Amino acid sequence: MNASGKVTTEHRARHAYLYVRQSSLRQVHENRESTARQYDLKRRAQALGWTSDQIVVIDEDLGQSGASAAGRNGFQRLVAEVGLGRVGLVMGLEVSRLARSSTDWHRLLEICALAETLILDEDGIYDPSHFNDRLLLGLKGAMSEAELHVLRARLIGGQLNKARRGELWMRPPLGFASDPEGRMILDPDRQIQGAVRALFETFRRTGSAMRVVRHFSTEGIRWPRRIPTGPRAGEIVWGPLDHSRVLGILHNPRYTGAFVYGRTRQRKTVIGDQVRYRRLKQEEWTVFLPNAHEGYISWEEFESNQAKLIGNAHGYGADRRKSPARDGAALLQGLVLCGVCGLRLTVRYHTTHGRPISDYVCQRRGIQTAQPLCQRLPGDRIDDAVAAVVLKAVNPASLDVALEVFEELRRRQAEVDRLRRAQVDRAREEAELAQRQYLLARPENRLVVDSLERHWNEKLSSLRQLEDEYARWSKNQQSPVTEQDQERIRKLVSDLPRVWNDPRTPVRDRKRMLRLLIEDVTLVRSETIQIHIRWKGGATTSVQQPLPILLPDQVRTPVAIIEQVRALATEQTDAQIARTLNARWLRSGRDHSFTRVIVRHIRTTYGIRSYIDHLRSQGWLTAPEIAAQMGVHFTTAKRFAAEGVLHAVRADDRGRILFEPPGGSVPRAHPGKRLRDRRRYPQLASKSDERGAV
Ligand SMILES: [Zn+2]
């Protein structure tokens, strides 16, 4: 190629940029000499007429792979300089590798063509503004991208094939180890196995990852962790168990003994080189071989654990957090949930006649999305009902069950004790080993002796710490419940109602007592108030309370009037009742004369049926119904009524008319009714047969 023909004085007046890149991938496939070869290019530029101070070397990208320009300052700087027209020549070893992504490469080519910048690699010199050169350079870029793709496909393909056979070696999760043949086995270290089993066992019992963490922390059980990299790689260190680790283990199907590959998928984000991982559903996993080796739990248990964890995630959203006991009068503050939408209810106080009244209100969604209140429930009534249930539940008879539970707890405590003793024993063994190593070292070798001594001291102090912890823990452990204790507990329990009802007991204390026993209370308002109590242990109790009668009516409407309304409602509409009551010189609770509205209010409050409902329950028919039965138009039926052929009455204040069923007042569901109808209206028989078939 005629190099001198392409290089002009104008090119030589500008800088020559040498782009040095040696990514980790290249280091694998080529030798380290490439850096030296890249610097050889510098000499060629000098031969073409550039002075050495005109040559700029960019090697910021050293050690970075060239798959994308994002995050690579060196490449971007090069593009910027070319664009500004300051560059006469770009040099690189196999220039197409300047940029591994085709788009980056073509952009550079275009800018070089516009700025009339030459490109030089080991094969020769190119002018991107010439079509043939640009075609060649474009091909080089495409080939280089293809090469990267093929390389990756070959690597991943090999891995995938191994995984499909279940032979791909992956770092065993904690609690597993690989045997000399590379098969997965349970970790031979008994203590590690014990810790993993304790984790699953605790979750089985408590059903919550958080409680597992709490259990390990309060019982002081340490959790093993394998150091993944560095000089101490593979070593086990013991420390506190954290929540994310529990979740990681509970979500990991490999603990069932399954071989699993491809549980996550990675994808690049638009911005930069960030990689996001997404957890896939089980049916999307690349490889799933159940029962490939021994496991800690069954597949069924794994699945039920997943379901539990999902349930918990709903239960512990921001809204569902319990709030601590505060001073307000509402006993269940912070414990009540809405049975309709599942959100936590809030307490609203208002004063009526100087008395604080509390309501449980579901208003969160209403506040957030401006919808009407979901439900509002009377506080006092619910508080009393729950208190009654609690006092009834905590009685000497239920106590015997509790004492049995104590026994179970003690058994678990023994298990924890075993794990903790193992921890101390292990620390002691390690200290003894360190001591032996120290004693065996030659005293001449000062450095070694010093470090061994330090090591021994560390082990001794950690042993001492563990022993102290163990002693402290054992001292705090509950001793078994003696006869005397049982007697004392029984007495306490029988005292509870007295303490509870004592007016000197502050509300806050009552709330705390309640919180010891109750997890939460779910309320639903329908025809009655349904109260579902969830106890600490997970058991539930449901009770019902009638809806409250509004306070004003409760005190104001005299019972005698209510009874009169009840009696009159069987033969009069609300307006008629009001007239009757007024005629008897009676007055309402507020000393008003009665109106249709007041009567209706009294009726609905005390559950008294209206006249029309009463008649309907007696089998009375509407005009269309009786017209259909008789096979006439309903205006005809009305005329019959007006002429006295049929018996009809005005059943409500809007003027609706009900007809007495032919044959007198009988309940509609009466089995003999239809027969009688047919006898009376023979022409209707065929029609009612059709209906009867329905
Ligand atoms: Zn609600």
Side-chain angles (χ1 to χ4, degrees), residues 193-237:
Q193 252 193 52
V196 175
R197 283 190 201 288
L199 185 148
F200 282 116
E201 166 64 28
T202 316
F203 185 76
R204 204 171 293 142
R205 210 171 62 224
T206 61
S208 137
M210 200 59 231
R211 294 226 182 110
V212 173
V213 178
R214 203 177 298 152
H215 176 75
F216 272 66
S217 140
T218 52
E219 303 296 351
I221 307 171
R222 283 163 187 248
W223 183 254
R225 190 166 64 84
R226 203 175 276 132
I227 298 178
T229 51
R232 291 168 70 198
E235 210 176 295
I236 293 284
V237 284

Short mmCIF file of all heavy atoms in Angstrom, two decimals, residues 193-237:
data_model
loop_
_atom_site.label_atom_id
_atom_site.label_comp_id
_atom_site.label_asym_id
_atom_site.label_seq_id
_atom_site.Cartn_x
_atom_site.Cartn_y
_atom_site.Cartn_z
N GLN A 193 -23.26 -28.56 59.50
CA GLN A 193 -24.51 -29.27 59.21
C GLN A 193 -25.57 -28.92 60.24
O GLN A 193 -26.72 -28.65 59.90
CB GLN A 193 -24.26 -30.77 59.27
CG GLN A 193 -24.29 -31.42 57.93
CD GLN A 193 -24.34 -32.94 58.07
OE1 GLN A 193 -25.17 -33.49 58.78
NE2 GLN A 193 -23.42 -33.59 57.39
N GLY A 194 -25.14 -28.91 61.51
CA GLY A 194 -26.07 -28.60 62.60
C GLY A 194 -26.66 -27.22 62.43
O GLY A 194 -27.86 -27.02 62.62
N ALA A 195 -25.82 -26.25 62.05
CA ALA A 195 -26.30 -24.87 61.90
C ALA A 195 -27.34 -24.79 60.79
O ALA A 195 -28.39 -24.16 60.95
CB ALA A 195 -25.13 -23.94 61.63
N VAL A 196 -27.04 -25.45 59.65
CA VAL A 196 -27.99 -25.39 58.52
C VAL A 196 -29.31 -26.05 58.93
O VAL A 196 -30.39 -25.53 58.67
CB VAL A 196 -27.39 -26.06 57.28
CG1 VAL A 196 -28.43 -26.10 56.16
CG2 VAL A 196 -26.15 -25.33 56.82
N ARG A 197 -29.19 -27.21 59.58
CA ARG A 197 -30.42 -27.90 60.01
C ARG A 197 -31.21 -27.04 60.98
O ARG A 197 -32.43 -26.96 60.91
CB ARG A 197 -30.07 -29.23 60.67
CG ARG A 197 -29.71 -30.29 59.64
CD ARG A 197 -29.60 -31.67 60.29
NE ARG A 197 -28.81 -32.55 59.47
CZ ARG A 197 -29.22 -33.06 58.32
NH1 ARG A 197 -30.42 -32.76 57.88
NH2 ARG A 197 -28.43 -33.83 57.61
N ALA A 198 -30.48 -26.36 61.89
CA ALA A 198 -31.16 -25.51 62.87
C ALA A 198 -31.91 -24.39 62.16
O ALA A 198 -33.01 -24.02 62.56
CB ALA A 198 -30.16 -24.93 63.85
N LEU A 199 -31.32 -23.88 61.09
CA LEU A 199 -31.99 -22.79 60.34
C LEU A 199 -33.33 -23.29 59.77
O LEU A 199 -34.37 -22.67 59.97
CB LEU A 199 -31.09 -22.31 59.21
CG LEU A 199 -31.59 -21.10 58.41
CD1 LEU A 199 -30.39 -20.27 57.95
CD2 LEU A 199 -32.41 -21.48 57.21
N PHE A 200 -33.28 -24.44 59.09
CA PHE A 200 -34.51 -24.95 58.49
C PHE A 200 -35.54 -25.31 59.57
O PHE A 200 -36.73 -25.05 59.43
CB PHE A 200 -34.22 -26.15 57.60
CG PHE A 200 -33.65 -25.76 56.27
CD1 PHE A 200 -32.36 -26.13 55.91
CD2 PHE A 200 -34.39 -25.02 55.37
CE1 PHE A 200 -31.83 -25.75 54.68
CE2 PHE A 200 -33.87 -24.64 54.14
CZ PHE A 200 -32.60 -25.01 53.80
N GLU A 201 -35.01 -25.91 60.64
CA GLU A 201 -35.88 -26.32 61.74
C GLU A 201 -36.60 -25.11 62.34
O GLU A 201 -37.80 -25.12 62.58
CB GLU A 201 -35.02 -27.04 62.79
CG GLU A 201 -35.67 -27.27 64.13
CD GLU A 201 -36.87 -28.19 64.04
OE1 GLU A 201 -36.90 -29.06 63.13
OE2 GLU A 201 -37.78 -28.02 64.86
N THR A 202 -35.84 -24.02 62.55
CA THR A 202 -36.42 -22.83 63.15
C THR A 202 -37.45 -22.21 62.22
O THR A 202 -38.50 -21.73 62.66
CB THR A 202 -35.32 -21.80 63.47
OG1 THR A 202 -34.23 -22.48 64.06
CG2 THR A 202 -35.83 -20.74 64.43
N PHE A 203 -37.16 -22.23 60.93
CA PHE A 203 -38.13 -21.66 59.99
C PHE A 203 -39.41 -22.49 59.97
O PHE A 203 -40.51 -21.96 59.89
CB PHE A 203 -37.54 -21.57 58.58
CG PHE A 203 -38.47 -20.87 57.62
CD1 PHE A 203 -38.60 -19.50 57.64
CD2 PHE A 203 -39.24 -21.60 56.72
CE1 PHE A 203 -39.47 -18.85 56.77
CE2 PHE A 203 -40.11 -20.95 55.85
CZ PHE A 203 -40.21 -19.58 55.89
N ARG A 204 -39.22 -23.81 60.05
CA ARG A 204 -40.38 -24.71 60.06
C ARG A 204 -41.29 -24.33 61.22
O ARG A 204 -42.50 -24.32 61.12
CB ARG A 204 -39.88 -26.14 60.24
CG ARG A 204 -40.81 -27.20 59.70
CD ARG A 204 -40.10 -28.56 59.73
NE ARG A 204 -38.99 -28.62 58.80
CZ ARG A 204 -37.83 -29.23 59.06
NH1 ARG A 204 -37.64 -29.85 60.22
NH2 ARG A 204 -36.87 -29.25 58.18
N ARG A 205 -40.68 -24.01 62.35
CA ARG A 205 -41.42 -23.73 63.57
C ARG A 205 -42.03 -22.34 63.55
O ARG A 205 -43.17 -22.14 63.94
CB ARG A 205 -40.45 -23.84 64.74
CG ARG A 205 -41.09 -24.27 66.02
CD ARG A 205 -40.02 -24.57 67.03
NE ARG A 205 -39.23 -23.40 67.33
CZ ARG A 205 -37.90 -23.39 67.43
NH1 ARG A 205 -37.22 -24.50 67.27
NH2 ARG A 205 -37.26 -22.29 67.72
N THR A 206 -41.25 -21.35 63.09
CA THR A 206 -41.71 -19.97 63.23
C THR A 206 -42.32 -19.44 61.94
O THR A 206 -43.12 -18.51 61.99
CB THR A 206 -40.54 -19.05 63.58
OG1 THR A 206 -39.57 -19.10 62.51
CG2 THR A 206 -39.87 -19.48 64.86
N GLY A 207 -41.94 -20.00 60.81
CA GLY A 207 -42.52 -19.55 59.55
C GLY A 207 -42.11 -18.15 59.14
O GLY A 207 -42.79 -17.51 58.36
N SER A 208 -40.99 -17.66 59.68
CA SER A 208 -40.58 -16.30 59.33
C SER A 208 -39.06 -16.20 59.37
O SER A 208 -38.42 -16.64 60.32
CB SER A 208 -41.21 -15.31 60.31
OG SER A 208 -40.31 -14.33 60.71
N ALA A 209 -38.51 -15.62 58.31
CA ALA A 209 -37.05 -15.49 58.23
C ALA A 209 -36.54 -14.57 59.34
O ALA A 209 -35.49 -14.81 59.94
CB ALA A 209 -36.66 -14.94 56.87
N MET A 210 -37.32 -13.55 59.61
CA MET A 210 -36.92 -12.59 60.66
C MET A 210 -36.81 -13.31 62.00
O MET A 210 -35.88 -13.08 62.79
CB MET A 210 -38.01 -11.51 60.73
CG MET A 210 -37.59 -10.23 61.36
SD MET A 210 -36.21 -9.49 60.53
CE MET A 210 -35.15 -9.21 61.91
N ARG A 211 -37.76 -14.21 62.26
CA ARG A 211 -37.73 -14.91 63.55
C ARG A 211 -36.56 -15.86 63.62
O ARG A 211 -36.03 -16.13 64.68
CB ARG A 211 -39.03 -15.68 63.77
CG ARG A 211 -40.20 -14.76 63.91
CD ARG A 211 -41.07 -15.17 65.09
NE ARG A 211 -42.22 -14.27 65.14
CZ ARG A 211 -43.46 -14.67 64.84
NH1 ARG A 211 -43.67 -15.91 64.53
NH2 ARG A 211 -44.43 -13.82 64.91
N VAL A 212 -36.18 -16.40 62.47
CA VAL A 212 -35.01 -17.27 62.46
C VAL A 212 -33.79 -16.47 62.91
O VAL A 212 -33.02 -16.89 63.76
CB VAL A 212 -34.77 -17.86 61.05
CG1 VAL A 212 -33.47 -18.63 61.00
CG2 VAL A 212 -35.93 -18.76 60.65
N VAL A 213 -33.66 -15.28 62.34
CA VAL A 213 -32.53 -14.42 62.71
C VAL A 213 -32.58 -14.11 64.19
O VAL A 213 -31.58 -14.19 64.90
CB VAL A 213 -32.56 -13.10 61.89
CG1 VAL A 213 -31.43 -12.19 62.30
CG2 VAL A 213 -32.48 -13.39 60.41
N ARG A 214 -33.78 -13.77 64.67
CA ARG A 214 -33.92 -13.41 66.07
C ARG A 214 -33.55 -14.59 66.96
O ARG A 214 -32.88 -14.44 67.97
CB ARG A 214 -35.35 -12.97 66.34
CG ARG A 214 -35.47 -12.07 67.54
CD ARG A 214 -36.89 -11.60 67.73
NE ARG A 214 -37.37 -10.81 66.61
CZ ARG A 214 -38.65 -10.74 66.27
NH1 ARG A 214 -39.55 -11.43 66.92
NH2 ARG A 214 -39.02 -10.00 65.26
N HIS A 215 -34.00 -15.78 66.56
CA HIS A 215 -33.72 -16.97 67.34
C HIS A 215 -32.20 -17.19 67.44
O HIS A 215 -31.67 -17.40 68.52
CB HIS A 215 -34.39 -18.18 66.69
CG HIS A 215 -34.10 -19.49 67.36
ND1 HIS A 215 -34.68 -19.84 68.56
CD2 HIS A 215 -33.28 -20.50 67.03
CE1 HIS A 215 -34.24 -21.03 68.91
NE2 HIS A 215 -33.38 -21.46 68.00
N PHE A 216 -31.52 -17.11 66.30
CA PHE A 216 -30.08 -17.33 66.30
C PHE A 216 -29.39 -16.27 67.15
O PHE A 216 -28.41 -16.55 67.83
CB PHE A 216 -29.52 -17.30 64.87
CG PHE A 216 -29.55 -18.65 64.22
CD1 PHE A 216 -30.75 -19.26 63.92
CD2 PHE A 216 -28.37 -19.32 63.91
CE1 PHE A 216 -30.79 -20.51 63.32
CE2 PHE A 216 -28.40 -20.57 63.32
CZ PHE A 216 -29.61 -21.17 63.03
N SER A 217 -29.90 -15.05 67.08
CA SER A 217 -29.24 -13.96 67.80
C SER A 217 -29.48 -14.06 69.30
O SER A 217 -28.56 -13.95 70.10
CB SER A 217 -29.71 -12.64 67.22
OG SER A 217 -29.91 -11.70 68.21
N THR A 218 -30.74 -14.33 69.72
CA THR A 218 -30.99 -14.39 71.16
C THR A 218 -30.34 -15.63 71.77
O THR A 218 -29.88 -15.59 72.90
CB THR A 218 -32.49 -14.42 71.49
OG1 THR A 218 -33.09 -15.46 70.71
CG2 THR A 218 -33.14 -13.09 71.15
N GLU A 219 -30.28 -16.70 70.99
CA GLU A 219 -29.67 -17.90 71.54
C GLU A 219 -28.16 -17.89 71.33
O GLU A 219 -27.46 -18.80 71.78
CB GLU A 219 -30.26 -19.15 70.88
CG GLU A 219 -31.77 -19.27 70.99
CD GLU A 219 -32.24 -19.41 72.43
OE1 GLU A 219 -31.38 -19.59 73.32
OE2 GLU A 219 -33.45 -19.32 72.67
N GLY A 220 -27.66 -16.89 70.65
CA GLY A 220 -26.21 -16.79 70.46
C GLY A 220 -25.62 -17.90 69.60
O GLY A 220 -24.46 -18.28 69.77
N ILE A 221 -26.43 -18.43 68.67
CA ILE A 221 -25.88 -19.46 67.79
C ILE A 221 -25.15 -18.76 66.65
O ILE A 221 -25.70 -17.87 66.02
CB ILE A 221 -27.01 -20.34 67.21
CG1 ILE A 221 -27.87 -20.89 68.32
CG2 ILE A 221 -26.42 -21.47 66.38
CD1 ILE A 221 -29.11 -21.59 67.84
N ARG A 222 -23.91 -19.18 66.41
CA ARG A 222 -23.15 -18.52 65.35
C ARG A 222 -23.37 -19.22 64.03
O ARG A 222 -23.71 -20.39 64.00
CB ARG A 222 -21.66 -18.53 65.70
CG ARG A 222 -21.37 -17.48 66.73
CD ARG A 222 -20.05 -17.74 67.39
NE ARG A 222 -19.89 -16.81 68.47
CZ ARG A 222 -18.98 -15.84 68.45
NH1 ARG A 222 -18.17 -15.71 67.44
NH2 ARG A 222 -18.89 -15.02 69.47
N TRP A 223 -23.14 -18.46 62.98
CA TRP A 223 -23.41 -18.97 61.65
C TRP A 223 -22.10 -19.06 60.88
O TRP A 223 -21.31 -18.13 60.88
CB TRP A 223 -24.38 -18.03 60.93
CG TRP A 223 -24.75 -18.52 59.58
CD1 TRP A 223 -24.32 -18.04 58.38
CD2 TRP A 223 -25.59 -19.63 59.29
NE1 TRP A 223 -24.85 -18.78 57.37
CE2 TRP A 223 -25.63 -19.76 57.89
CE3 TRP A 223 -26.31 -20.53 60.08
CZ2 TRP A 223 -26.37 -20.76 57.27
CZ3 TRP A 223 -27.04 -21.51 59.46
CH2 TRP A 223 -27.07 -21.62 58.07
N PRO A 224 -21.85 -20.20 60.19
CA PRO A 224 -20.60 -20.34 59.47
C PRO A 224 -20.63 -19.59 58.14
O PRO A 224 -21.68 -19.45 57.53
CB PRO A 224 -20.52 -21.85 59.21
CG PRO A 224 -21.93 -22.30 59.21
CD PRO A 224 -22.69 -21.39 60.12
N ARG A 225 -19.47 -19.11 57.74
CA ARG A 225 -19.39 -18.41 56.46
C ARG A 225 -18.04 -18.81 55.86
O ARG A 225 -17.02 -18.81 56.55
CB ARG A 225 -19.43 -16.92 56.69
CG ARG A 225 -19.60 -16.10 55.44
CD ARG A 225 -19.98 -14.67 55.83
NE ARG A 225 -18.90 -14.04 56.59
CZ ARG A 225 -17.85 -13.44 56.02
NH1 ARG A 225 -17.75 -13.39 54.73
NH2 ARG A 225 -16.91 -12.88 56.75
N ARG A 226 -18.07 -19.16 54.59
CA ARG A 226 -16.83 -19.57 53.95
C ARG A 226 -16.23 -18.36 53.26
O ARG A 226 -16.92 -17.68 52.49
CB ARG A 226 -17.11 -20.68 52.95
CG ARG A 226 -15.89 -21.52 52.66
CD ARG A 226 -16.23 -22.68 51.76
NE ARG A 226 -16.75 -23.83 52.48
CZ ARG A 226 -17.85 -24.49 52.12
NH1 ARG A 226 -18.53 -24.12 51.08
NH2 ARG A 226 -18.24 -25.55 52.81
N ILE A 227 -14.96 -18.06 53.53
CA ILE A 227 -14.33 -16.90 52.88
C ILE A 227 -14.10 -17.26 51.42
O ILE A 227 -13.46 -18.26 51.11
CB ILE A 227 -13.00 -16.55 53.57
CG1 ILE A 227 -13.28 -16.18 55.02
CG2 ILE A 227 -12.29 -15.43 52.84
CD1 ILE A 227 -12.07 -15.86 55.83
N PRO A 228 -14.66 -16.46 50.50
CA PRO A 228 -14.65 -16.87 49.09
C PRO A 228 -13.30 -16.66 48.38
O PRO A 228 -12.92 -17.46 47.55
CB PRO A 228 -15.73 -16.00 48.45
CG PRO A 228 -15.89 -14.83 49.36
CD PRO A 228 -15.41 -15.22 50.71
N THR A 229 -12.62 -15.56 48.71
CA THR A 229 -11.38 -15.27 47.97
C THR A 229 -10.30 -14.83 48.95
O THR A 229 -10.52 -14.76 50.15
CB THR A 229 -11.60 -14.13 46.96
OG1 THR A 229 -12.21 -13.04 47.67
CG2 THR A 229 -12.47 -14.54 45.81
N GLY A 230 -9.16 -14.52 48.40
CA GLY A 230 -8.07 -14.00 49.23
C GLY A 230 -7.23 -15.12 49.79
O GLY A 230 -7.46 -16.30 49.52
N PRO A 231 -6.24 -14.74 50.59
CA PRO A 231 -5.31 -15.75 51.09
C PRO A 231 -5.97 -16.78 52.00
O PRO A 231 -5.50 -17.90 52.12
CB PRO A 231 -4.27 -14.92 51.85
CG PRO A 231 -4.89 -13.60 52.09
CD PRO A 231 -5.87 -13.38 50.99
N ARG A 232 -7.10 -16.39 52.63
CA ARG A 232 -7.75 -17.34 53.55
C ARG A 232 -8.94 -18.03 52.88
O ARG A 232 -9.84 -18.54 53.55
CB ARG A 232 -8.22 -16.62 54.80
CG ARG A 232 -7.06 -16.15 55.67
CD ARG A 232 -7.56 -15.20 56.73
NE ARG A 232 -8.35 -15.88 57.75
CZ ARG A 232 -9.18 -15.24 58.58
NH1 ARG A 232 -9.34 -13.96 58.48
NH2 ARG A 232 -9.85 -15.93 59.48
N ALA A 233 -8.97 -18.03 51.54
CA ALA A 233 -10.10 -18.59 50.82
C ALA A 233 -10.41 -20.00 51.28
O ALA A 233 -9.51 -20.82 51.48
CB ALA A 233 -9.80 -18.59 49.32
N GLY A 234 -11.70 -20.30 51.44
CA GLY A 234 -12.11 -21.63 51.83
C GLY A 234 -12.21 -21.81 53.33
O GLY A 234 -12.84 -22.75 53.81
N GLU A 235 -11.61 -20.91 54.07
CA GLU A 235 -11.64 -21.03 55.52
C GLU A 235 -13.04 -20.70 56.04
O GLU A 235 -13.77 -19.91 55.44
CB GLU A 235 -10.64 -20.04 56.11
CG GLU A 235 -10.03 -20.48 57.42
CD GLU A 235 -8.98 -19.46 57.87
OE1 GLU A 235 -7.96 -19.31 57.17
OE2 GLU A 235 -9.22 -18.82 58.89
N ILE A 236 -13.42 -21.30 57.16
CA ILE A 236 -14.74 -21.04 57.73
C ILE A 236 -14.60 -20.05 58.87
O ILE A 236 -13.76 -20.24 59.75
CB ILE A 236 -15.35 -22.35 58.27
CG1 ILE A 236 -15.65 -23.32 57.13
CG2 ILE A 236 -16.60 -22.07 59.07
CD1 ILE A 236 -16.86 -22.99 56.33
N VAL A 237 -15.40 -18.99 58.84
CA VAL A 237 -15.44 -18.11 60.00
C VAL A 237 -16.85 -18.13 60.55
O VAL A 237 -17.82 -18.32 59.82
CB VAL A 237 -15.06 -16.65 59.64
CG1 VAL A 237 -13.58 -16.51 59.44
CG2 VAL A 237 -15.81 -16.18 58.42
#
